[in-house]
Amino acid sequence: MKIDVEAFRVLEVLVEEGSFAKAGERLHKAQSAVSYQVKKLEQHLGVNLFCRDQYRAELTPEGKVILAEGKRLLQYLGNIEHLASRFSEGWEPKLELVVDGSLPMEPIMRALKQVSAHKIPTKIQLNVEFLGGVQHRFERDNADVMLVKDYRTGPNYRQQALPNINSVLVVSKEHPLAKIKGVKLFELLQHVELTIEDSSPGKHHSDELQFGGDKVFYLSGFIMKKNALLMGLGFGWMPDFLIRSELESGELVELDFLGGSRYSFTPQLVSTMERPLGRAGRLFTQLILKEFEEYQLSGF
């Protein structure tokens, strides 16, 4: 009997999620189907892959070695699929994108709309993460493209710079800090700082602009952060494209902070040479670069 390669993918997800139920949800399979596939692999190999007496799905020492080899096999097969797609110059079956939530979605949506107008057969999946969660998702899912604020580079990464994004340090017009001229750091740290939570599992990536005070609220996205700012809950950095109307109306005001109340960063469009982009990936890359340039020139 031949080994079912898909079983290694199930095994990998099961270890990451820690339970058969959660693995089933992620794989869109019944829990019983996940259990059966693992048991079938164990019977074929003649090895117990999991410790059944543990609360979480934990691998045996033998299971860890077998999973490591299985991951390499999956990577090799994935590379073959990508190369075959590139060589045939056909449309790839799937294009997965991971985007940092601090970037404007309008040019991304316009690029995707144009891709859709080509009536291509490629299935496109768009995921939004924050900070270190972008690269974690990109690497974990073997995604094709990430649009990221910053990341840990590597020898196989190919990057293209996008136009700069500007951020502003703001508070509600009713907030006590809004009335102070020349705000000092110690005055700032007496109030609640609002920031975005890192969406990577380990949450090891911190925002380099965080002030480091004791009063910090971590929020799950910029819409929630914007609402919290408007309520006067605290102060925080916001991309200017998200608060343009609130700044114009005066609902939010730029802090007169002595350390500076504006900064810009250069987001990157990143792919990897290990997974060469197919026809849809190359089309999206061309369109997103064009859309971001036009978005920047339009002044939003």
Side-chain angles (χ1 to χ4, degrees), residues 3-20 23 26-27 29 33-35 37-42 45 47-52 57-60 62-71 74:
I3 293 178
D4 180 7
V5 175
E6 182 62 26
F8 290 113
R9 201 178 309 278
V10 171
L11 203 62
E12 183 179 15
V13 172
L14 181 53
V15 171
E16 290 177 355
E17 297 296 336
S19 75
F20 286 84
R26 182 168 150 191
L27 293 165
K29 293 176 180 281
V34 174
S35 300
Q37 204 158 8
V38 172
K39 190 66 178 177
K40 187 177 176 182
L41 181 61
E42 287 181 319
L45 297 174
V47 174
N48 288 327
L49 300 175
F50 282 93
C51 302
R52 267 25 184 227
E58 293 187 4
L59 289 170
T60 61
E62 297 85 354
K64 291 178 181 178
V65 175
I66 288 172
L67 176 58
E69 291 299 319
K71 285 182 176 180
L74 291 172

Side-chain angles (χ1 to χ4, degrees), residues 246-260:
E246 287 77 14
L247 285 174
E248 290 176 350
S249 68
E251 292 177 273
L252 292 177
V253 297
E254 183 174 345
L255 269 178
D256 185 19
F257 176 52
L258 291 177

Side-chain angles (χ1 to χ4, degrees), residues 48-229:
N48 288 327
L49 300 175
F50 282 93
C51 302
R52 267 25 184 227
D53 58 345
Q54 301 292 328
Y55 175 74
R56 285 180 59 85
E58 293 187 4
L59 289 170
T60 61
E62 297 85 354
K64 291 178 181 178
V65 175
I66 288 172
L67 176 58
E69 291 299 319
K71 285 182 176 180
R72 275 193 280 270
L73 176 59
L74 291 172
Q75 182 65 58
Y76 292 147
L77 291 174
N79 290 343
I80 290 171
E81 290 174 356
H82 275 281
L83 287 172
S85 175
R86 180 69 180 269
F87 291 151
S88 68
E89 287 301 315
W91 299 104
E92 59 268 47
K94 183 179 179 181
L95 177 66
E96 185 168 353
L97 316 168
V98 188
V99 176
D100 194 305
S102 65
L103 304 184
M105 293 303 295
E106 185 179 336
I108 298 171
M109 292 297 107
R110 286 206 301 257
L112 288 175
K113 183 178 180 181
Q114 292 183 62
V115 170
S116 176
H118 285 75
K119 302 188 184 303
I120 65 175
T122 302
K123 177 183 177 183
I124 297 178
Q125 179 177 337
L126 175 65
N127 306 298
V128 177
E129 300 286 349
F130 296 95
L131 296 173
V134 181
Q135 186 164 8
H136 172 78
R137 183 72 174 265
F138 178 73
E139 293 175 346
R140 187 198 74 182
D141 293 356
N142 287 328
D144 302 287
V145 176
M146 64 175 171
L147 278 70
V148 63
K149 179 181 175 182
D150 61 70
Y151 70 103
R152 302 180 310 278
T153 188
N156 293 317
Y157 283 161
R158 179 186 289 113
Q159 67 183 47
Q160 293 175 275
L162 297 170
N164 283 357
I165 300 295
N166 300 309
S167 285
V168 188
L169 187 61
V170 295
V171 290
S172 163
K173 64 180 181 180
E174 306 298 336
H175 194 280
L177 286 171
K179 301 172 177 62
I180 302 177
K181 298 295 182 183
V183 178
K184 299 179 179 64
L185 181 59
F186 80 88
E187 293 176 308
L188 198 67
L189 297 183
Q190 293 175 25
H191 300 272
V192 172
E193 179 180 4
L194 303 173
T195 190
I196 298 297
E197 183 180 28
D198 185 349
S199 62
S200 62
K203 297 179 173 57
H204 299 309
H205 193 291
S206 61
D207 192 337
E208 71 277 8
L209 291 170
Q210 190 172 321
F211 290 96
D214 296 328
K215 302 176 182 179
V216 182
F217 287 3
Y218 293 90
L219 306 174
S220 61
F222 281 100
I223 300 303
M224 187 182 295
K225 184 175 181 179
K226 180 177 176 179
N227 289 335
L229 285 165

